Amino acid sequence: MDVTRDNFAGALKVFKESIAGCDFVAMDMEMTGLYESRQLTPNRSDTSDERYAKLKRSVESYGVAQVGICLFTWVESQHDDLGSGYYEAKPFNFNVFPCTSVGAIPVEAHFGCKNTAFEFLSNNGFDFNKWINSGIPYLRADEAHRLKTERAGQLLNKRSPFVIDDKHAEFVRNFERALKGFSSSRRKIMSYDTANSYERKIIYEILSKHDTLGARGRQGLIEIFKGSKRAVSMHNLDKLRKLEANLKTARGFCEIIDVLSAARKLVVGHNMPLDILHAHSKFYKELPELRADFEQSMQRFLPMLIDTKYIIESTPAIKAKYGTSNLDEIAPRLDNEAKYHSLDPIAHRPQLVRHHPDFALNATQSMHEAGYDAYMTGATFIRLLKLEGGLDLYALSSPSENTSELVLYRYINKLYQAVGDRLYWQLGGSDTSRLSPARSAGAATPEGETDASVENSNAYSSSDRDSPAKHNDLLSLNHMAEQYSLMNVNDSTA
């Protein structure tokens, strides 16, 4: 489903209705650039804090053009030719553009772009006019709160004193002279020209001292009118109600992310660090200065992540078979193998991934469209975990782990990174956590080394080892997400 501001309300309704019952979510983004220079690109000599600083700089330098979110839900089947069931996919391709105004209040946002990134987007069919003219606005909750507080203070005279700079002294004198003449006249309305938002702010500051004068913003001017105290008060309350409605519209795509965060679902991505930092920075909260604070914030924002690039890179058998961990190379191969095996009269394996009927016709099937990439990321995740032309990760795990859910704990919150001798970034884990490519999934953790995900898998197995796996022995994703969220909450409040 391709989503712009024109059909966003309907898409939001479908998203809210669908996410509660889905088993996991896949996410992808298209950005206006990656890194400003080779020197600012993460490298193997970086410490974890240096790497975070470079990622943070990139995220604060560039924008997001598209966000792909695909919901995957297990559907039980009564038909033998479909096996025990399949995962039904609902891909959303959200075109997003920073909010430019809240009603008549202008909102400015700054982001850079890289020529090679724009060329890449153009070569892959990206519509820049649609992005700018029809992109869904977004405004973080803290930014919306700041705007509301500032505007409400102007209307209700409940704000910190506003100090007018010296260069606007003449503007102030001229306006106060005009206002004095208006107040003593029989006129009911006065229009006063303004050149920018700062001059309008000055006028609202001066008018706040007059409880029988109100104001209405117009293009390039402000209308000042006389009225009783009650009439002016009612006018200001009406403006506050309109401000609330305008702020809800301006928050736009952030409402999708709010719903996703509240759902506490497993979120799957491919090569995730930049995507996750962009999601936090653009749609949740400003990025903290310190890596440790960011990791704590992620426990509240999106507590359970799995990076398919890390799964591939940390499993030599998979890497050896496919020779790559790039999504645009491995995903089509897994997809073709799945189609082949579903048609083979001998091997016949029903496909585990299908589009929802209402979404199938909307998929562009074009790599580097965020919605389609999110779909392919989720499909790759499923195919890596169940033999559908891919490799069965369960066969590579420790024999002592007799429930399929436990395998997944080895990948939770480990984001792929090729830095130093560390293959992953453990969110909330120790900086000394290491896993080299030679240590496959399921291999024992070296003596003296702490692996947070293994500790969590032990905690899980003590209470849930006997629970049956669902979804054709894939994994009980909803149950696992709930358990992991509870463990995170307990850890963060201890």
Side-chain angles (χ1 to χ4, degrees):
M1 176 184 289
D2 192 58
V3 188
T4 65
R5 71 179 63 179
D6 299 325
N7 63 338
F8 176 67
L12 176 61
K13 183 174 183 292
V14 173
F15 189 85
K16 286 180 175 179
E17 291 170 350
S18 303
I19 196 167
C22 83
D23 288 275
F24 73 93
V25 177
M27 179 184 286
D28 182 79
M29 293 187 189
E30 297 298 330
M31 306 153 193
T32 65
L34 297 179
Y35 301 102
E36 295 170 79
S37 67
R38 185 182 298 274
Q39 290 73 27
L40 294 173
T41 302
N43 61 68
R44 290 186 179 276
S45 65
D46 290 333
T47 66
S48 294
D49 290 333
E50 289 170 343
R51 179 201 61 241
Y52 174 72
K54 288 181 176 180
L55 292 169
K56 180 174 180 289
R57 175 162 179 155
S58 169
V59 166
E60 291 172 347
S61 298
Y62 295 110
V64 172
Q66 283 182 343
V67 180
I69 299 178
C70 190
L71 310 181
F72 289 85
T73 306
W74 179 257
V75 177
E76 298 284 352
S77 174
Q78 305 301 320
H79 303 287
D80 292 339
D81 61 332
L82 296 179
S84 62
Y86 56 90
Y87 275 97
E88 187 174 71
K90 293 183 177 180
F92 296 81
N93 184 60
F94 295 100
N95 299 274
V96 298
F97 193 80
C99 167
T100 57
S101 65
V102 176
I105 305 171
V107 177
E108 293 184 348
H110 303 272
F111 59 85
C113 60
K114 203 162 189 178
N115 57 344
T116 51
F118 269 34
E119 180 182 51
F120 175 83
L121 290 171
S122 178
N123 289 341
N124 285 280
F126 185 77
D127 188 335
F128 289 91
N129 286 325
K130 181 170 72 173
W131 173 45
I132 296 169
N133 297 324
S134 301
I136 307 158
Y138 60 87
L139 187 71
R140 288 195 321 245
D142 59 320
E143 295 171 320
H145 178 73
R146 178 184 57 78
L147 266 175
K148 180 181 177 182
T149 301
E150 183 179 289
R151 188 71 179 112
Q154 291 174 344
L155 293 172
L156 303 177
N157 196 20
K158 294 179 181 179
R159 64 198 180 286
S160 302
F162 172 49
V163 179
I164 301 169
D165 60 43
D166 293 339
K167 67 180 182 180
H168 285 86
E170 185 178 356
F171 176 84
V172 171
R173 286 194 296 271
N174 291 339
F175 176 71
E176 288 182 332
R177 189 182 303 115
L179 188 63
K180 183 177 180 180
F182 170 64
S183 299
S184 60
S185 73
R186 300 172 66 91
R187 288 183 296 158
K188 296 294 184 182
I189 296 176
M190 177 184 79
S191 297
Y192 201 86
D193 293 338
T194 56
N196 51 54
S197 59
Y198 190 79
E199 289 184 354
R200 289 191 287 275
K201 192 172 183 179
I202 291 172
I203 290 177
Y204 283 118
E205 170 70 18
I206 294 171
L207 290 177
S208 67
K209 301 177 177 66
H210 301 265
D211 55 11
T212 59
L213 294 176
R216 290 183 287 261
R218 296 288 186 262
Q219 185 68 36
L221 58 86
I222 287 182
E223 280 187 357
I224 298 136
F225 63 89
K226 297 174 182 175
S228 65
K229 291 182 180 180
R230 185 175 185 279
V232 171
S233 176
M234 292 299 292
H235 170 76
N236 288 338
L237 287 174
D238 183 59
K239 291 183 79 169
L240 281 177
R241 284 192 289 269
K242 289 178 180 177
L243 177 64
E244 290 275 9
N246 289 333
L247 282 170
K248 180 176 175 58
T249 300
R251 293 216 64 227
F253 179 72
C254 287
E255 200 168 345
I256 290 284
I257 298 299
D258 290 347
V259 172
L260 174 60
S261 178
R264 319 312 276 174
K265 299 291 182 178
L266 167 66
V267 177
V268 177
H270 188 85
N271 203 7
M272 294 183 83
L274 277 178
D275 288 355
I276 293 305
L277 265 73
H278 269 294
H280 190 293
S281 172
K282 302 296 191 295
F283 314 122
Y284 179 55
K285 290 180 180 178
E286 188 175 358
L287 287 173
E289 287 298 320
L290 300 179
R291 173 181 59 88
D293 292 338
F294 168 74
E295 292 173 357
Q296 285 292 319
S297 183
M298 284 302 299
Q299 290 185 18
R300 297 182 291 273
F301 178 39
L302 297 174
M304 192 164 73
L305 310 172
I306 288 183
D307 190 333
T308 53
K309 190 173 180 75
Y310 172 69
I311 293 178
I312 298 165
E313 289 287 348
S314 65
T315 311
I318 294 178
K319 189 68 182 292
K321 177 176 181 180
Y322 294 100
T324 181
S325 62
N326 293 335
L327 183 68
D328 56 0
E329 295 178 69
I330 197 169
R333 288 183 63 183
L334 287 166
D335 190 47
N336 289 334
E337 288 177 3
K339 291 174 182 175
Y340 169 79
H341 287 297
S342 69
L343 296 173
D344 188 331
I346 299 175
H348 184 62
R349 299 191 190 106
Q351 291 199 51
L352 286 173
V353 186
R354 297 161 182 244
H355 278 99
H356 184 281
D358 293 341
F359 286 73
L361 295 178
N362 292 323
T364 64
Q365 299 193 14
S366 172
M367 293 298 287
H368 306 300
E369 178 199 72
Y372 187 67
D373 282 2
Y375 162 73
M376 292 302 281
T377 296
T380 296
F381 173 63
I382 292 167
R383 289 161 182 161
L384 287 173
L385 295 176
K386 187 68 176 179
L387 188 58
E388 191 197 0
L391 293 176
D392 194 342
L393 284 184
Y394 306 144
L396 302 171
S397 65
S398 168
S400 65
E401 293 177 346
N402 55 20
T403 62
S404 57
E405 293 96 327
L406 295 183
V407 179
L408 270 296
Y409 276 99
R410 296 195 176 279
Y411 306 103
I412 292 174
N413 290 344
K414 291 181 178 177
L415 308 187
Y416 174 75
Q417 63 167 20
V419 176
D421 60 352
R422 297 183 301 277
L423 193 59
Y424 63 85
W425 173 12
Q426 173 76 59
L427 288 186
S430 168
D431 188 36
T432 60
S433 297
R434 292 188 173 97
L435 181 64
S436 69
R439 285 169 52 198
S440 66
T445 305
E447 186 177 353
E449 196 170 302
T450 300
D451 189 324
S453 66
V454 173
E455 291 173 358
N456 283 334
S457 72
N458 291 335
Y460 179 81
S461 62
S462 65
S463 59
D464 293 277
R465 186 175 291 279
D466 296 328
S467 63
K470 72 171 185 177
H471 301 177
N472 201 20
D473 283 334
L474 263 173
L475 61 162
S476 182
L477 287 169
N478 263 329
H479 181 57
M480 187 175 73
E482 291 166 5
Q483 293 292 317
Y484 197 81
S485 271
L486 285 173
M487 282 189 281
N488 267 345
V489 168
N490 292 336
D491 290 343
S492 62
T493 56

